[in-house]
Amino acid sequence: MRVTVEKRSSVAAGASQKRSSKYPFTVELSDSATVDDLKNAIYKQVKSLHPDRQRLTAGEKKSVLETGETLAKFDVSDGDTVYLKDLGPQIGWQAVFYIEYAGPIIIHYLIYNFSGLFYSQVVEHSEVQRRAYLMIMAHFIKRELETAFVHRFSHGTMPLLNVFKNSGHYHLLSGLNLAYWLYSPASAQGTLLAAKLSDPFMLAVFTGIYLFAEFSNLSTHITLRNLRPPGTRVRRIPHGYGFDMVSCPNYLFEITAWVVIMAMTRSLAAVLFVVVSSVQMYFWALKKHKQYRREFPDYPKSRRAIFPFIA
């Protein structure tokens, strides 16, 4: 079949804008062609438009043509027109994760180990500060290792400029702001606050809950990995540990780990990060929960999005 490709910007801008000489153009595809086939055919015509840069829509409702699906699913047939939007330079999601998590690792390491550069004195860290440092470093190193060996990404890339927005949350809130206040002289060795927070029994309790949350989070990530065969974007209903009660137990356990750090340190910077990240993860979970229910008619109705029995 023959499909005409029109650039979305030239349509939206109206007749006053000079149209590119490249558009529209026509590509030849088989009757059973997929969205991937169409994107590759466009890439052959316009070498600057790698498939990851392309956003294709069709029909009166401007339905987005999703990668991995057939064109027939979106009622694209011989003689139809699809509209192309260039998403701009892209970066792989795996690279984004590496950048996001590397920031806090570097920032916490520098502020903790070179305190004289950030405060008016060299800080002798208290036990609660040492424990918090180890927990935070372990969390983000774990995330880096999961990115390398566990995660399988349903979306290959994202717009390059978005990496700065995404990284800001981690680099500023859980990185610079959290580290600066957490390792400050206010709770250093010898202060009343340090003596109050460094009770061995409570530190052991907090450490135990933290380890439970982190290993539980890893377990759910492995479950999600095993749902998707390598090199595919297959989606299935997750079952097993954590998933019988909520759709996104990985977010639940991550929040739990950060709540432990917040309660252990009683830091307002930690409170800020927990509140902001929990709200963000709640909306991510809600979106994924709705997507599961829409995609799978037999999805368990008793599951909540992120918090058991609540939401």
Side-chain angles (χ1 to χ4, degrees):
M1 64 177 174
R2 295 168 63 87
V3 175
T4 300
V5 179
E6 177 66 274
K7 196 170 185 180
R8 172 62 66 186
S9 59
S10 64
V11 175
S16 61
Q17 181 173 331
K18 184 178 179 180
R19 294 164 65 90
S20 170
S21 59
K22 296 179 182 178
Y23 302 94
F25 60 83
T26 302
V27 295
E28 293 276 356
L29 301 165
S30 68
D31 292 339
S32 59
T34 64
V35 175
D36 301 80
D37 294 331
L38 175 56
K39 287 187 174 184
N40 287 326
I42 293 172
Y43 181 47
K44 288 181 180 179
Q45 293 268 9
V46 186
K47 288 299 183 183
S48 62
L49 285 177
H50 188 274
D52 289 332
R53 291 182 64 144
Q54 301 174 30
R55 183 177 186 269
L56 302 177
T57 57
E60 294 181 359
K61 295 182 179 180
K62 299 180 181 179
S63 301
V64 176
L65 306 187
E66 298 175 2
T67 301
E69 303 290 351
T70 63
L71 292 174
K73 179 179 179 179
F74 304 99
D75 297 322
V76 176
S77 57
D78 185 48
D80 285 349
T81 298
V82 299
Y83 297 96
L84 166 69
K85 180 179 180 180
D86 181 2
L87 297 175
Q90 301 288 296
I91 183 173
W93 269 101
Q94 189 175 45
V96 172
F97 276 34
Y98 284 137
I99 294 169
E100 288 177 350
Y101 304 140
I105 292 173
I106 295 170
I107 292 168
H108 279 265
Y109 177 82
L110 291 175
I111 294 180
Y112 184 87
N113 290 287
F114 300 95
S115 57
L117 298 176
F118 300 93
Y119 310 106
S120 58
Q121 63 188 85
V122 175
V123 177
E124 182 183 355
H125 295 112
S126 62
E127 182 57 35
V128 70
Q129 288 178 319
R130 283 192 288 271
R131 194 69 57 95
Y133 173 72
L134 292 174
M135 287 181 175
I136 292 168
M137 292 293 280
H139 173 80
F140 285 111
I141 291 172
K142 165 182 165 291
R143 297 308 302 269
E144 292 280 28
L145 292 173
E146 287 176 335
T147 299
F149 302 110
V150 177
H151 291 317
R152 288 177 180 153
F153 300 93
S154 58
H155 298 286
T157 65
M158 66 178 288
L160 178 61
L161 293 179
N162 283 7
V163 72
F164 299 102
K165 178 182 68 176
N166 285 36
S167 297
H169 170 75
Y170 291 97
H171 294 189
L172 297 178
L173 284 184
S174 65
L176 186 60
N177 186 58
L178 182 59
Y180 181 82
W181 296 109
L182 209 55
Y183 311 131
S184 74
S187 56
Q189 185 68 25
T191 63
L192 291 176
L193 181 59
K196 187 176 182 179
L197 298 179
S198 297
D199 176 71
F201 174 75
M202 290 306 301
L203 288 179
V205 170
F206 285 131
T207 302
I209 300 173
Y210 167 85
L211 291 173
F212 159 76
E214 290 289 347
F215 279 109
S216 295
N217 176 263
L218 172 61
S219 175
T220 59
H221 284 160
I222 293 173
T223 297
L224 292 172
R225 168 192 168 85
N226 292 337
L227 288 176
R228 178 174 293 141
T232 72
R233 299 187 181 186
V234 171
R235 290 174 55 83
R236 299 180 181 135
I237 299 176
H239 294 282
Y241 179 66
F243 289 97
D244 292 332
M245 301 188 72
V246 296
S247 294
C248 299
N250 49 323
Y251 295 152
L252 172 63
F253 292 129
E254 180 159 353
I255 291 172
T256 302
W258 282 108
V259 167
V260 167
I261 293 172
M262 178 188 73
M264 184 178 72
T265 62
R266 302 185 191 181
S267 165
L268 291 178
V271 172
L272 175 63
F273 178 69
V274 167
V275 170
V276 172
S277 59
S278 296
V279 169
Q280 179 64 76
M281 282 187 272
Y282 169 74
F283 284 113
W284 285 341
L286 194 61
K287 180 179 179 181
K288 188 167 291 188
H289 183 67
K290 291 179 178 178
Q291 188 175 3
Y292 278 139
R293 287 192 164 184
R294 183 171 59 250
E295 189 172 352
F296 303 106
D298 57 339
Y299 193 74
K301 295 182 179 180
S302 61
R303 286 189 194 178
R304 296 294 183 261
I306 185 170
F307 301 114
F309 312 113
I310 302 174

